[in-house]
Amino acid sequence: MSISISSAEANPQVANMFGTAQLSKAQFLDKARQAREERRELKERERAAIQIQALIRRFLCRCWLQREIRREVEDFFEINESAPSKRSALSIFRISRKLLFIFRIKEDKERLEKLCRCILNSMDVENEPKMWYVSLALSKDLTLLWIKQIKDILWFCCEFLKQLKPDILQDSKLVTLHLTMLVTFTDTSTWKILRGKGETLRPAMNHICANIMGHLNQKGFYSVLQILLTNGLARSRPSLSKGTLTAIFSLALRPVVAAQFSDNLLRSFLIHIMSVPAIVTHLATLTPERLAVIESHDLFRKFILFLSREAQCRDVCVCLEGSHTLCLLGNLIYLGSLNDKVLEDETAHFVSVLIHMLSYCQKYVSQKKSNLTHWHPVLGWFSQTVDYGLNESMPLLTKQLQHLWGVHLIRILFSDVLSKKLVETQDPTYPLGQTASPQNSLPMKNLFKRAFQKSASVRNILKPVGGKRVDSAEVQKVCSICVLYQTTLTTLTQIRLQILTGLTYLDDLLPKLWAFICELGPQGGLKLFLECLNNDTEESKRLLAMLMLFCDCSRHLITILDEIEVYEEQISFKVEELVTISSFLNSFVFKMIWDGIVENAKGETLELFHSVHGWLMILYERDCRRRFAPEDHWLRKDLKPSVLFQELDKDKKRAQLLLQYIPHVIPHKNRVLLFRNMVTKEKEKLGLVETSSASPHVTHITIRRSRMLEDGYEQLRPLSQNLMKGVIRVKFVNDLGVDEAGIDQDGVFKEFLEEIIKKVFDPALNLFKTTSGDERLYPSPTSYIHENYLQLFEFVGKMLGKAVYEGIVVDVPFASFFLSQLLGHRHSSFYSSVDELPSLDSEFYKNLTSIKRYDGDISDLGLTLSYDEDAMGQLVCHELVPGGKTIPVTNENKISYIHLMAHFRMHTQIKSQTAALISGFRSIIKPEWIRMFSAPELQRLISGDNAEIDLEDLKKHTVYYGGFHGSHRVIIWLWDILANDFSPEERAMFLKFVTSCSRPPLLGFAYLKPPFSIRCVEVSDDQDTGDTLGSVLRGFFTIRKKEPGGRLPTSSTCFNLLKLPNYSKKSILREKLRYAISMNTGFELS
């Protein structure tokens, strides 16, 4: 070995020879491998080519076979069309097998149609058993094949039915064809083979039909029918004919009847058929015979009993989701309205089912729009997918739902309540239990008709008496019905007003429901419901739902009734009952707040609070406009104002809530004190009060008397909010710019403020108008003639706010409706424009409400939804709605017309002016400060108390100058004349003479700024240089320079100062004072 290696190393040529040999071998092996791979690839390609050829040959063969079969089928049908009676059932069977073997839905649609017609023709042949296609079911060899074939054909018919549009004429014919196939072969009644001797075969044939139906159900037969029904009925006008609808409904009912109404089939029927929008309405309209079939099978009872099991009801709702659950609900309600007997027997189950279904929908009803919600025309914002394809059928669905709050169903459901006797004596014109109108249909056509029918009887006043056990069956039933309607109101948010109108249609329902509430528990009413608030039991919730429904409905009723209907006709409630109810509500709301229930309330408890509070405030505002309750009715004697104020200082939540929701339980004067305290605190916070360490910033303005309004507007309008609230000093100059003699104190600003307000509120300026009748002020609709009129209104608002802020009373009587707007009541959901209309124009209000009571056809009056106004000599037409001048007022829309007209006159016409004034007013007075006052109370805050002048209080807070004192004979005469010789009107004139306002300050004369003062004067005002030592002494000792009998008393209203000459006789004083106040010789500056 070593030698060979050595030789190889020694001889390189030998090494090369061996290397070349090794390389050739590797190349040879590589080539052999490549050749093998090439042969394998060649074989693969050959095999693939053979396979492709086989596939192509198979495909071509199939295509050829399909063409041949289709040609054969076509030939068969051509011959059949020329001689239809010559084809035997067997030949149809064979050609059907061939067609089904190669059947493609898109390509063979027409062939299937021809086959169906051929089969149906064979079934119509008389006395030719071999021709009848169904005869093959009797052949032992072909029975199973025939059953499979007919199942396939019928399912293909179903597939086509899913795609067809019944509103297209051609498609509607095909729908009829396929339905005829389904109807014919799912029931033996039309099979000629079973006539006569063949009757013995019927059980076997029925079994075959049941088998076919079972197969179709498994494949989704009900889904097919649902799609077909929805396509044909979920629209404004149905596109299904009577025959088609009859066929579909008969087909849907067959499996249910065949299965003897099993739970499984009832579930399918409810989910797929009864959830089709308004199907019961369409059945009643197009094919009422089907409703008779429903009644004969007692289907409504079976539906209710099936759904009364909570798990099954939930299962159906989950399958349907919200939109279709609502459709099922509508159909069940309409069926209920057609089946009085079942409804009376199964009231409890019916109510329970409706509550469950509505509660399911309610879970997804949202309060606001978001990315997760969809708009539904009945439910509002809805957090499940909404089927917008159902929108066209929503009006019909709504009509079905309306039966729930229609008179018919209310009479059945509330039969226990309505059967109560409230009547002592009655008008013989109307029998007991009937209203003046025989109408017993839904209230929607004539929306508020019941509100105008005069009460036909006189009854005892209803008061809480107690005595009825709350766990009795009767109470539980009524509670359940109230829960149903309350759930309806909170779920069907977009038709809430319709529901409330329906529930208040019967005049006696609400008083009888109140009578029912009065009887509950040991003492009746309040105590029971307060206990329920603290009990989280199902029974308590149901009782509170009854109270909530009563409050919601009553609030709606009183809102739509006008003054005559509430006070004179006393529709539904007697005025004395309103007193009792308001007392109950006042106590209930007070307890809810004061016991801390509202602080942590949420969900149902909070809804209850808002419901009861809403009804209470409607009654309170009615009482403010026209009193029906006794004096101090609204106050809580057990609430000490001092305790409330202490809690407010400590920021206690219950005190804040009390002030926010029911401030009327606190005496008015205490609220005014609270208001003044709030203003004082703000002044201290803003540094507007003089202290030992700092003086407030003073704004100086110079005013020309001849241009007082213009100068005031120019100098005050640019001031910031805080400067307007601060101290403003006024310097009057004459037209030459020379300063007037005067004292630079708050009194001059008071005079300036009074003069400004006097000018801007003068109707001659046309910024404000007066109402007809009591001549109260409101913004003029034609004030736009002024340049920058909106800035002027904002300035007026600031001036008015400043007067209230400083406690300066100004004699400006506002219209009640305008005060309501100043308080922000218009934004309340309880606000009704019509209620406030008399405060604008009582004559116009009477004319408008006479339209409501007009018995004839209102369209005969030729009114349109527009208002013609004489604006400065030109007739201007205002449309109440877009295109209103072309829309006639009819009996259907007259209520809308009344509300639109009232809203236009009081809001739309003066919208921008009111908004500007309110903006200015609120820049000085915070809205929350005055929300504790009613409209009449706000007027008193602005213009002082309308009570009798308390002379003792005035005497107590009078300051004397110029030698006068309390025991001076002239002063004694003055008080005696005011007390005994002057009438109340003259005393008011005296107060106006010295203070510029005829009303005393709300909190008494201690709050009159500056204080009332009387000064003894010796000379006329133009010679008066003020008090001197001599004049004071002469006044004190009753020494006169000369007899002042020819001079009149004068006043300086800016200082609340009476300048009184030192008269020698009481009679002279009486005569001169009376003349002075009647001539109004005041308004002179000292």
Side-chain angles (χ1 to χ4, degrees), residues 263-279:
D263 283 357
N264 194 31
L265 267 299
L266 277 174
R267 176 184 179 276
S268 294
F269 192 85
L270 285 165
I271 290 172
H272 296 291
I273 306 303
M274 291 304 293
S275 67
V276 172
I279 187 171

Side-chain angles (χ1 to χ4, degrees), residues 677-731:
N677 288 343
M678 288 172 172
V679 173
T680 304
K681 281 181 183 176
E682 188 185 77
K683 283 185 173 182
E684 289 170 356
K685 187 179 175 183
L686 296 174
L688 304 177
V689 179
E690 187 89 39
T691 61
S692 55
S693 57
S695 294
H697 176 272
V698 177
T699 302
H700 293 275
I701 60 172
T702 303
I703 303 295
R704 290 170 291 180
R705 278 195 180 272
S706 59
R707 292 180 56 82
M708 194 179 290
L709 177 58
E710 293 85 345
D711 289 352
Y713 173 74
E714 286 170 9
Q715 293 180 57
L716 291 178
R717 196 176 74 83
L719 293 184
S720 69
Q721 190 173 312
N722 287 353
L723 286 177
M724 275 298 295
K725 291 180 178 181
V727 178
I728 299 172
R729 297 275 188 230
V730 177
K731 183 168 72 173

